[in-house]
Amino acid sequence: MEAIKTRYRDHTCGQLRKSDVGQSVKLAGWVHSYRDHGNLVFIDLRDRDGLTQLVFDPDTCGKLIHDEARKLRSEWVISISGEVTARAAQVVNPKLPTGEVEVRVKTMVILSSSPTPPFLPDEHDTVHEEKRLAYRFLDLRRAEMQQTLRTRYRVTKIMRDYLGDLGFWEIETPFLTRSTPEGARDFIVPSRLVPGSFYALPQSPQLFKQLLMVGGCDKYMQIVRCFRDEDPRADRQAEFTQLDVEMSFIDRENIIGIMEGLLRKIWKDVLNIEVPNPIRQMEYDEAMTRYGSDRPDLRFGMELHDITELAQTTDFGVFKNAAMVKAICVPGGAKLTRKETDALAEWSKGFGAKGLAVTKVTATGLDTGVAKFLQSVAAKLIERLGAKEGDLIAFGADKPKVVHKVLGELRLKMARDLQLKVSTDYAWVWVVNFPLFEYDEEAKRFVSTHHPFTAPLDGDLAKLTSRDREVVESIKSKAYDIVVNGSEVGGGSIRIHRMDTQQNLFSLLGIDDAAQKAKFGFLLDALQYGAPPHGGIALGLDRLIMILRGISNIRDVIAFPKTQSGADLMCGAPASIDEKQLREANIRAVMPAPKQG
């Protein structure tokens, strides 16, 4: 990185090389480490670009500067001038790009001092995350965090340049809008000027980007903040960033082609790794059948095998009475103890299962667990699963949705827990043709699998007028997700561009005419005034950076993240506000009654 020349510096701390020997330079940054050898004081000076070793020699800088250098401590900020010199061969540091040189200091100005910090940047691994988040401004100084933010900037620049060259316009959409049903709770904002009314922060710019297409903007993109009031997790935050894209007069393959080109450029420029051209596509039904997930991790096998007809020939009641029985073969899983397999059965209940049947493969067949119920089919079962001695076979027996969820999650858990060998390549796949609807058993109604603006496949359009559950559940959508290494990094669809089709879909979701007009009147109005066929996609920027940097925690790719509970430990948010502000917003805070017991 070239430094912008100022009175504090003319080079960065990662810029100097052996070719600069003999130059007079100015540097500025933080004291990373200090070593006082009496006559010579060595300081590693740090900025976001790297480290440079400084040498304070009283014969060069004078006694006054030398005495000041002996007072320097970690995280003090200084500016120096001096001459670049070559290090002796025996003290060259090959781990640093600047390791062949040092700067013999002539002058120094202490710009700011620091008390002993709660932790130093290099202590990241030994400091609890809550302390790092409380002092995020210190945590941001570590090299890994700086590199992640640099990668994030590079990726966003690639996105803007690539899409800009293809004719996309970056257009901002509102943050203060109205609440619409999009699958998660909204963050709401009271209106001071309209008492009793509220804005909602957008879960995505979905409706606005569709309106931009109706408005003739043709190709839209935006790197945008979105908000969902849901429980955070390792790869999710309540506020997150996505690349949002929408296009007119296109179909699915056009969008997939453009996104593949963008992803290939990002992976090539950032990692120098080639992304397949084209990326394979997999039907949603195949993904669920083989991997139990609509975001399959294809770096390893352990596929689900349907053994329903085999299982129902046994005398095991759990299998005989189940709608579906599937199994996975866990390589080397026989080493799990009884305590560990019992724990797996308990773990499976968190995904709706009643338990988890297992058995181990031995040299002579099956042993332990449910082996005694399977002797009549043991040989066929082992052959179908390709099981070997030392493997574990785990079974799911329930409704298809439960079986797929449990075994899909178990597959991932076993790969992690047993540290199974997985491909080191990036495993990419497009999952396409999702169901348009899911049936909510609790609410006794249909809900959108993605969102209620997704178009059905052309051949399924007529089914939108049906109220037969089987027929409605068979409707496929023009939706598509891009998945890498088992993580969904983006998703989108071709949208509904006809008002009558959109009304039919709303009706299937149980949204009557009055509710349609109240919640979506502006969209329906737009669709009746000449809407072009259009569609788009959103890529999760935070997840992309996690994968590019090999990071497992989303908080480590966001400059100022929230905790798992949604708290900002540095700023102290969320926080109460005073009565005056409440009155101005025409709201009153009422605390919930304490829970009994």
Side-chain angles (χ1 to χ4, degrees):
M1 180 188 76
E2 292 290 329
I4 296 174
K5 292 177 172 55
T6 71
R7 65 190 180 97
Y8 300 109
R9 67 179 183 185
D10 51 28
H11 288 74
T12 73
C13 295
Q15 192 177 348
L16 300 176
R17 300 293 186 269
K18 200 168 185 178
S19 58
D20 297 306
V21 168
Q23 275 200 55
S24 293
V25 299
K26 291 190 291 184
L27 300 177
W30 286 262
V31 174
H32 187 71
S33 64
Y34 54 91
R35 302 174 299 284
D36 189 344
H37 292 180
N39 188 47
L40 297 179
V41 176
F42 294 89
I43 297 290
D44 284 341
L45 191 67
R46 183 193 75 242
D47 63 15
R48 74 176 191 179
D49 202 34
L51 294 172
T52 296
Q53 179 170 282
L54 310 180
V55 182
F56 291 83
D57 182 340
D59 292 340
T60 303
C61 64
K63 184 177 184 304
L64 184 62
I65 296 293
H66 183 263
D67 288 345
E68 287 295 296
R70 300 187 72 178
K71 300 175 185 176
L72 295 175
R73 292 296 180 265
S74 293
E75 304 309 304
W76 287 32
V77 183
I78 63 173
S79 173
I80 63 95
S81 66
E83 182 180 339
V84 182
T85 59
R87 292 199 202 186
Q90 64 270 25
V91 292
V92 165
N93 185 347
K95 296 180 180 179
L96 291 178
T98 59
E100 292 185 293
V101 298
E102 57 193 16
V103 175
R104 292 269 166 167
V105 175
K106 295 181 179 179
T107 67
M108 177 183 70
V109 176
I110 296 174
L111 300 174
S112 65
S113 60
S114 170
T116 301
F119 57 88
L120 297 175
D122 284 349
E123 296 173 342
H124 161 259
D125 290 337
T126 60
V127 179
H128 195 280
E129 186 186 35
E130 288 193 356
K131 178 174 278 191
R132 291 195 294 108
L133 292 179
Y135 294 91
R136 187 61 163 181
F137 47 85
L138 296 178
D139 192 43
L140 286 172
R141 295 178 187 175
R142 60 186 166 94
E144 295 88 349
M145 195 72 229
Q146 295 278 310
Q147 183 58 39
T148 296
L149 293 179
R150 181 184 308 207
T151 299
R152 191 177 177 111
Y153 158 72
R154 288 183 65 193
V155 169
T156 57
K157 187 175 188 303
I158 291 168
M159 289 173 170
R160 286 189 166 101
D161 291 347
Y162 174 86
L163 293 172
D165 288 345
L166 291 176
F168 285 80
W169 294 348
E170 184 162 11
I171 305 173
E172 299 83 4
T173 52
F175 275 179
L176 295 177
T177 181
R178 69 168 299 143
S179 179
T180 57
E182 292 194 43
R185 287 181 296 272
D186 291 320
F187 283 100
I188 57 173
V189 180
S191 168
R192 178 181 61 84
L193 299 176
V194 187
S197 295
F198 297 84
Y199 299 104
L201 300 182
Q203 295 182 36
S204 76
Q206 181 61 50
L207 295 179
F208 291 105
K209 64 182 181 180
Q210 289 190 243
L211 293 174
L212 287 171
M213 296 304 100
V214 178
C217 293
D218 200 83
K219 298 186 187 74
Y220 142 93
M221 62 81 63
Q222 184 181 190
I223 296 173
V224 61
R225 297 290 273 179
C226 302
F227 308 87
R228 292 187 179 181
D229 186 7
E230 54 190 357
D231 297 334
R233 62 187 188 196
D235 65 346
R236 176 181 291 166
Q237 286 264 296
E239 52 179 323
F240 57 96
T241 307
Q242 67 185 35
L243 168 67
D244 208 43
V245 171
E246 198 80 4
M247 302 168 62
S248 293
F249 305 111
I250 45 80
D251 58 26
R252 181 180 76 188
E253 297 309 315
N254 301 125
I255 293 172
I256 285 177
I258 287 175
M259 288 300 106
E260 285 188 12
L262 173 59
L263 291 167
R264 276 193 287 275
K265 182 165 180 58
I266 290 171
W267 253 252
K268 183 65 176 177
D269 288 4
V270 175
L271 299 177
N272 196 28
I273 288 176
E274 301 288 346
V275 170
N277 184 11
I279 295 172
R280 67 179 289 192
Q281 295 183 19
M282 181 182 294
E283 295 272 337
Y284 168 88
D285 289 343
E286 180 186 354
M288 297 303 296
T289 298
R290 294 175 60 189
Y291 302 99
S293 173
D294 59 7
R295 45 181 174 81
D297 191 335
L298 306 182
R299 291 175 297 172
F300 59 96
M302 216 190 311
E303 293 185 20
L304 281 60
H305 295 265
D306 193 332
I307 60 162
T308 305
E309 84 289 354
L310 267 182
Q312 290 182 346
T313 65
T314 70
D315 294 325
F316 189 29
V318 173
F319 286 0
K320 287 182 71 69
N321 301 319
M324 173 182 280
V325 184
K326 284 194 171 185
I328 62 170
C329 177
V330 182
K335 64 186 176 185
L336 294 176
T337 65
R338 172 67 181 273
K339 181 179 179 181
E340 288 171 326
T341 56
D342 285 349
L344 285 178
E346 194 61 33
W347 165 88
S348 72
K349 294 177 182 178
F351 300 100
K354 300 178 180 68
L356 187 72
V358 299
T359 188
K360 296 179 179 180
V361 184
T362 67
T364 57
L366 302 178
D367 189 32
T368 72
V370 295
K372 62 183 179 181
F373 301 109
L374 303 175
Q375 294 309 317
S376 62
V377 297
K380 289 182 179 178
L381 182 63
I382 290 171
E383 180 183 6
R384 184 174 298 187
L385 271 63
K388 298 179 178 61
E389 182 181 356
D391 292 346
L392 178 80
I393 299 177
F395 304 88
D398 211 307
K399 294 177 290 189
K401 186 174 182 179
V402 174
V403 170
H404 289 148
K405 183 64 176 175
V406 172
L407 292 185
E409 292 293 338
L410 180 66
R411 177 178 177 270
L412 300 176
K413 179 176 174 59
M414 290 293 92
R416 288 192 305 268
D417 292 356
L418 298 178
Q419 297 182 326
L420 299 182
K421 185 177 181 180
V422 301
S423 170
T424 55
D425 296 331
Y426 289 91
W428 294 90
V429 64
W430 285 99
V431 179
V432 299
N433 295 346
F434 283 75
L436 188 61
F437 301 104
E438 296 174 352
Y439 191 76
D440 187 326
E441 295 286 357
E442 189 174 323
K444 302 297 180 188
R445 66 180 183 88
F446 291 107
V447 295
S448 295
T449 302
H450 280 79
H451 55 61
F453 319 109
T454 301
L457 294 181
D458 294 343
D460 288 346
L461 263 173
K463 297 179 183 178
L464 286 180
T465 58
S466 175
R467 292 301 179 266
D468 181 278
R469 178 170 171 177
E470 275 192 32
V471 173
V472 175
E473 287 182 331
S474 73
I475 301 175
K476 298 294 186 182
S477 70
K478 295 181 180 180
Y480 34 84
D481 284 356
I482 180 66
V483 177
V484 58
N485 295 354
S487 180
E488 177 208 327
V489 293
S493 67
I494 302 300
R495 324 302 186 189
I496 294 170
H497 71 280
R498 290 173 57 99
M499 185 179 73
D500 56 347
T501 303
Q502 186 65 73
Q503 288 173 318
N504 285 337
L505 190 141
F506 283 153
S507 295
L508 252 178
L509 294 174
I511 305 173
D512 62 26
D513 291 347
Q516 289 181 31
K517 186 173 182 180
K519 293 181 178 181
F520 303 106
F522 61 99
L523 174 66
L524 295 172
D525 279 348
L527 294 182
Q528 73 172 326
Y529 287 110
H534 60 281
I537 193 168
L539 299 183
L541 179 63
D542 309 307
R543 288 189 189 176
L544 276 179
I545 305 305
M546 287 173 66
I547 293 167
L548 286 166
R549 293 282 294 146
I551 291 171
S552 59
N553 189 332
I554 198 171
R555 292 184 289 280
D556 284 336
V557 302
I558 298 172
F560 299 103
K562 306 291 189 292
T563 66
Q564 283 282 62
S565 62
D568 183 333
L569 299 180
M570 184 182 69
C571 297
S576 59
I577 60 176
D578 61 37
E579 284 295 326
K580 181 175 181 292
Q581 288 177 289
L582 289 171
R583 286 195 302 272
E584 286 175 344
N586 302 294
I587 59 176
R588 179 164 56 94
V590 178
M591 298 303 292
K595 293 181 180 178
Q596 296 298 317

